[in-house]
Amino acid sequence: MLIILIIGLSFWVWYGILKKEWPIIISNGFAVIVDVCLLISLWKYKAKYIR
């Protein structure tokens, strides 16, 4: 689900780039960065908590 969200937000960033709309680019770009950090954290720390 998180990967699908990242893909969708990335498309919004691409749309913002095509339309040259900075609010779309900045807000969705920030969301992509946060979600990618969350995904990396899930992969990194998942092994510690699942036994």
Side-chain angles (χ1 to χ4, degrees), residues 8-13 16 22-33:
L9 289 169
S10 298
F11 282 137
W12 272 107
V13 171
W22 284 104
I24 295 173
I25 297 168
I26 293 170
S27 61
N28 290 300
F30 180 74
V32 168
I33 291 169

Side-chain angles (χ1 to χ4, degrees), residues 41-51:
S41 296
L42 284 172
W43 283 337
K44 183 176 179 181
Y45 296 110
K46 188 174 185 180
K48 288 184 179 181
Y49 296 108
I50 295 177
R51 294 177 190 197

Side-chain angles (χ1 to χ4, degrees), residues 9-22:
L9 289 169
S10 298
F11 282 137
W12 272 107
V13 171
W14 182 249
Y15 174 76
I17 291 170
L18 292 176
K19 294 292 185 177
K20 297 179 181 159
E21 294 286 337
W22 284 104

